[in-house]
Amino acid sequence: MNLRCAACKYLRRRCSSDCIFSPYFPSNDPQRFACVHKIYGASNIAKMLQQIPHHLKAEAANSMYFEAQCRLADPVYGCVKAISLLCQQIDHAHSQLAIIQAEITFYKAQIPGDNNQTQNADQ
């Protein structure tokens, strides 16, 4: 029994054994293809998957799905919004780390005679 993939079901066509979509859009997850189709269209998805080396196709399909979800959630910024938020979190973490390192240095300087112990421990 040959089950049609989610793409072929969505496009209402017969799913061949060499279907470009079937490995990346399984029949048990129809929303995955529907989401990607809304943003890219079936023809563009097929072209992208055909041009990518085989070992990268699954990753590309996952990336298209993530980008499509982000674009549907935020039509203006899409996945750029998520990337920007993550960059802001990284910047914030770096600044907090710098503050904590400065506090550690300050408190170590307050301890009398600790410099020799720290230097000996490092060697």
Side-chain angles (χ1 to χ4, degrees):
M1 182 172 169
N2 186 12
L3 288 175
R4 291 187 301 172
C5 67
C8 291
K9 280 183 184 179
Y10 186 88
L11 299 171
R12 296 183 179 148
R13 67 181 196 186
R14 193 172 155 264
C15 191
S16 65
S17 60
D18 64 340
C19 176
I20 187 80
F21 300 115
S22 63
Y24 316 108
F25 301 102
S27 60
N28 62 353
D29 192 2
Q31 279 303 110
R32 181 179 171 93
F33 181 77
C35 181
V36 175
H37 181 264
K38 284 179 188 175
I39 300 301
Y40 296 105
S43 176
N44 289 328
I45 298 167
K47 286 177 190 174
M48 284 188 268
L49 288 174
Q50 287 170 347
Q51 293 175 356
I52 296 171
H54 181 71
H55 68 282
L56 297 175
K57 287 183 181 185
E59 205 171 315
N62 290 337
S63 179
M64 283 189 269
Y65 180 54
F66 175 74
E67 291 178 28
Q69 282 182 312
C70 291
R71 183 63 62 189
L72 290 172
D74 188 345
V76 176
Y77 293 108
C79 64
V80 173
K81 182 177 182 180
I83 293 168
S84 295
L85 290 173
L86 290 171
C87 287
Q88 287 176 358
Q89 288 177 358
I90 290 169
D91 289 343
H92 180 70
H94 280 171
S95 58
Q96 284 199 319
L97 178 62
I99 290 169
I100 291 170
Q101 287 174 330
E103 287 178 357
I104 290 171
T105 303
F106 172 78
Y107 289 122
K108 277 186 176 182
Q110 299 299 314
I111 300 172
D114 188 49
N115 290 338
N116 292 336
Q117 292 174 356
T118 303
Q119 289 176 357
N120 291 338
D122 290 339
Q123 295 174 354

